[in-house]
């Protein structure tokens, strides 16, 4: 069965109490008048994963294969959690689209249809909402707006150019706005959307005229604007990464709650015992710049988890917040490829019932029926076998990072990603004139396990509908683009997905050096030859890559400079996932490459130690 990367995360209900100046038993009436309790139900980063995923958890004393998530389960769980509750907010913190064949085939229509089964109160734009430019986002939001939900779409720091961007033909708020205000009795709550600026601008494909403003100053600007209106219950919906949210919380005044996304972080201490990585408690509690409590939550990825947070606000400050991240499970369990039955099955069910973060959830029937219409078309495409792999092919970004669901991090420490190198080799092969192929690690999305490879596997591996582009470059420019990409990959404001992989090119990389000095011993194997030779910095080479990074995205700045030069770039208009399909069909089977073909022959850590 396919497996998806699962990071161990932690979640634990935290109660926050705040000593409010002047509050005592004698003024209970005034306290009650200003007190507001909200139930926040939230998800993030579902990335078009509308059906369930598979993975392993430690349950009832043994590793157990489970099926988890899926949007019909999200709908059912949210319906269950809001039943009988008052003052409920349903929030989605971004990256709804791209990442699965549901987007490849339907370009957001299927995602919008399923989101409209929930009727989110607010949706914050994420970086991947811009993968198909402003026009692609407009098409998705048109589908979202076609339902009866009227979901508020938020992005305070995204400014499309009026009259130029398809998102702003009449005004900058045609399709989204900085914030929304929700009313609960005599209390008002302001919800502000923040997108990760650098990553969206450089690692997605927004129109060049669309601006992305600083996250912190923009958030404070709109907190102050709401405060001036008398609204002091403030929620930030941030697609900005968990670690950035922690810093953001401490840099702002007036913020009470951050509902985040982008880093795919699963929070909750209870998950540790399930064999999952924990990044912090659910909710995580810090203090803002004024020393007042802030609660921070996130809900993992791929429609696997629904976060449930109960927060009480008094006089615009957090009085308490406590909650549970619910991992949504189907009622089927396997060990050693055998479905559990009888006593073993009941033991697992009992263990689930005793664990607050685990839920066996049936699909909402209406949502399941809506999804079925799309799934039938996806299934017909996904099933065609195109070849096989003789090995488990590890996924990785930065060598040793630990992104693979199949391989230990030690297996990728020196040479990084098996499958990313093979993807690069496929592109070099399919480009009949190119000496070198370069592929960003983040553009390759999953491991490939040993066994059959299907069309669906290929499009899940390479989901972004890019094309292959050929660039004419000097050796010096090739070295410069590698230095650019690596620097962006290790930058706190960058993306680890920028880490470069290649075919027909290999190198040593030393992280301890400064930019411009990190890559050495660069060697190239020209097209039609079988020998490696030193990269000639003054010579000209043909390089194939995907059109996304060819435009200078994801930190590949030198590619962007070359793309702007006349006659240096040719778009082959070959779909990059289809090119991989064609390569696998031609090869029949693929395997781990010999070490001599890997792009990274040595990898030094930040201390200069050879790994």
């Amino acid at each position: 069965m396919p497996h998806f990367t699962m990071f161990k995360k932690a979640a634990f209900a935290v109660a926050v109490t705040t000593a409010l100046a002047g509050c005592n038993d004698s003024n209970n009436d005034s306290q009650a008048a200003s007190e507001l309790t909200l139930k926040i139900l939230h998800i993030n980063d579902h990335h078009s994963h509308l059906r369930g995923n598979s993975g392993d958890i430690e349950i009832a004393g043994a590793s157990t294969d489970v099926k988890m998530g899926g949007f019909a389960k999200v709908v059912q769980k949210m319906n269950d959690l809001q039943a009988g509750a008052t003052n409920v907010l349903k929030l989605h913190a971004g990256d709804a689209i791209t990442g699965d064949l549901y987007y490849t085939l339907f370009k957001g229509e299927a995602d919008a249809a399923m989101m409209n089964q929930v009727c989110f109160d607010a949706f914050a734009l994420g970086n991947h909402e811009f993968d198909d430019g402003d026009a692609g986002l407009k098409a998705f939001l048109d589908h979202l707006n076609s339902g009866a939900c009227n979901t508020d779409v938020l992005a305070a720091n995204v400014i499309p150019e009026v009259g130029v961007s398809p998102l702003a033909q009449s005004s900058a708020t045609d399709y989204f706005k900085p914030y929304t205000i929700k009313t609960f009795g005599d209390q008002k709550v302001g919800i502000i959307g923040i997108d990760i600026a650098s990553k969206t601008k450089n690692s997605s494909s927004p129109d060049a005229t669309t601006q992305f403003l600083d996250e912190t100053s923009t958030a404070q600007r709109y907190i102050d604007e709401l405060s001036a209106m008398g609204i002091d219950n403030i929620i930030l919906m941030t697609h900005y990464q968990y670690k950035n949210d922690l810093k953001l919380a401490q840099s702002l005044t007036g913020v009470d709650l951050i509902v985040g996304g982008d880093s795919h972080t699963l929070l909750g201490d209870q998950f540790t015992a399930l064999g999952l990585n924990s990044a912090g408690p659910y909710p995580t509690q810090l203090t803002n710049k004024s020393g007042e409590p802030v609660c921070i939550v996130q809900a993992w990825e791929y429609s696997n988890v629904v976060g449930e947070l109960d927060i009480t606000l008094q006089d615009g400050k957090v009085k308490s917040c406590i909650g549970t991240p619910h991992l949504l499970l189907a009622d089927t369990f396997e060990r050693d490829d055998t479905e559990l039955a009888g006593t073993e099955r009941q033991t697992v069910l009992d263990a689930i019932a005793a664990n607050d973060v685990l839920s066996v959830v049936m699909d909402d029937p209406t949502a399941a029926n809506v999804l079925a219409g799309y799934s039938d078309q996806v299934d017909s495409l996904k099933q065609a076998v195109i070849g096989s792999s003789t090995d488990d092919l590890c996924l990785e970004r930065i060598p040793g990072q630990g992104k693979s669901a199949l391989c230990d991090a030690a297996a990728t420490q020196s040479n990084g990603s098996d499958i990313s190198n093979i993807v690069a080799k496929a592109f070099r092969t399919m480009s009949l004139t190119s000496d070198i192929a370069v592929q960003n690690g983040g553009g390759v999305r999953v491991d490939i396990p040993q066994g059959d490879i299907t069309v669906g596997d290929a499009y899940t591996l390479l989901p972004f509908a890019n094309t292959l582009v050929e660039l004419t470059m000097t050796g010096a420019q090739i070295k410069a683009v590698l230095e650019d990409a690596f620097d962006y990959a290790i930058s706190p404001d960058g993306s680890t997905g920028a880490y470069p992989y290649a075919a027909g090119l290999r190198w040593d990389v030393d992280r301890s050096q400064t930019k411009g000095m990190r890559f050495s011993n660069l060697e190239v194997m020209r097209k039609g030859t079988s020998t490696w030779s030193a990269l000639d910095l003054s010579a000209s080479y043909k390089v194939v890559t995907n059109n996304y990074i060819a435009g200078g995205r994801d930190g590949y700045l030198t590619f962007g400079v070359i793309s702007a030069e006349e006659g240096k770039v040719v778009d082959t208009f070959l779909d990059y996932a289809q090119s991989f399909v064609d390569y696998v069909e031609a090869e029949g089977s693929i395997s781990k490459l010999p070490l001599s073909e890997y792009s990274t022959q040595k990898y030094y850590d930040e201390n200069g130690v050879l790994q």
Side-chain angles (χ1 to χ4, degrees), residues 528-586:
T529 71
S530 58
T531 58
W532 293 95
S533 59
L535 184 73
D536 186 339
L537 297 184
S538 62
S540 180
Y541 300 90
K542 185 68 69 68
V543 179
V544 64
T545 189
N546 63 74
N547 66 317
Y548 173 69
I549 61 173
R553 303 288 187 180
D554 216 18
Y556 286 75
L557 303 179
T558 302
F559 272 164
V561 172
I562 295 166
S563 291
E565 297 180 19
E566 189 71 28
K568 293 293 184 68
V569 179
V570 175
D571 192 330
T572 70
F573 295 103
L574 294 171
D575 179 89
Y576 83 149
Q578 186 61 53
S579 295
F580 182 76
V581 169
D582 294 342
Y583 174 77
V584 174
E585 286 182 326

Side-chain angles (χ1 to χ4, degrees), residues 520-532:
S520 61
N521 299 329
L522 284 98
E523 294 184 318
V524 62
M525 181 186 292
R526 285 213 182 246
K527 197 82 165 185
T529 71
S530 58
T531 58
W532 293 95

Side-chain angles (χ1 to χ4, degrees), residues 32-272:
S34 63
E35 187 171 290
L36 173 66
T37 297
L38 297 170
K39 182 179 288 292
I40 310 293
L41 305 178
H42 63 100
I43 67 169
N44 54 272
D45 295 275
H46 85 255
H47 280 289
S48 301
H49 284 247
L50 301 180
R51 274 197 290 204
N53 310 296
S54 298
D56 301 322
I57 61 173
E58 295 290 331
I59 187 76
S63 180
T64 306
D65 295 334
V66 297
K67 296 187 185 303
M68 66 186 80
F71 225 88
K73 285 181 170 51
V74 170
V75 175
Q76 184 62 55
K77 190 63 177 181
M78 287 197 169
N79 288 342
D80 292 344
L81 293 172
Q82 70 177 331
T86 57
N87 301 339
V88 176
L89 282 173
K90 293 177 286 186
L91 306 178
H92 190 313
D95 274 7
I97 58 175
T98 78
D100 190 89
L101 278 172
Y102 283 101
Y103 184 75
T104 303
L105 287 179
F106 303 112
K107 296 299 181 184
E109 178 186 345
D111 294 284
M114 297 309 292
M115 289 173 68
N116 281 334
Q117 297 301 304
V118 171
C119 277
F120 289 98
D121 293 288
F123 167 61
L125 295 183
N127 55 298
H128 282 284
E129 265 68 70
F130 288 93
D131 280 354
D132 282 330
D134 288 21
L137 175 55
K138 175 187 180 297
F140 165 57
L141 295 181
D142 282 338
H143 290 304
L144 189 66
N145 294 332
S146 68
C149 293
N150 299 315
T151 296
D152 288 319
V153 182
L154 308 178
N157 63 326
V158 180
I159 314 295
E161 185 170 349
V162 177
V164 176
S165 170
L167 294 164
Q169 288 302 292
S170 298
S171 74
T173 58
D174 286 353
Y175 277 87
F176 52 88
K177 52 191 177 180
Y179 59 78
T180 187
I181 299 169
K182 302 296 183 181
T183 301
F184 300 93
D186 61 354
Q187 297 280 320
K188 294 185 184 296
V189 177
I191 308 172
I192 302 167
I194 296 291
D195 191 14
I196 186 166
S198 176
K199 185 177 182 181
T200 306
K201 185 177 180 179
N202 295 297
S203 296
S204 293
S205 301
D207 288 8
T209 57
T210 297
Q211 299 179 60
F212 294 84
L213 308 181
D214 178 76
E215 300 89 351
T216 303
S217 60
T218 303
Q220 190 65 65
R221 169 190 170 186
Y222 286 107
I223 290 171
D224 294 345
E225 183 172 314
L226 289 166
S227 179
M229 297 164 60
I231 299 170
D232 53 8
N233 301 313
I234 304 295
I235 298 171
L236 294 184
M237 286 179 64
T238 62
H239 196 80
Y240 191 44
Q241 303 187 358
Y242 177 64
K243 290 182 179 179
N244 289 335
D245 283 341
L246 300 182
K247 295 177 182 177
L248 183 66
Q250 298 171 89
S251 302
L252 299 173
T253 60
V255 62
D256 300 308
L257 171 64
I258 296 178
V259 179
D262 189 58
S263 54
H264 297 220
T265 302
L266 176 63
L267 298 175
D269 292 337
Q270 298 99 315
F271 287 108
T272 302

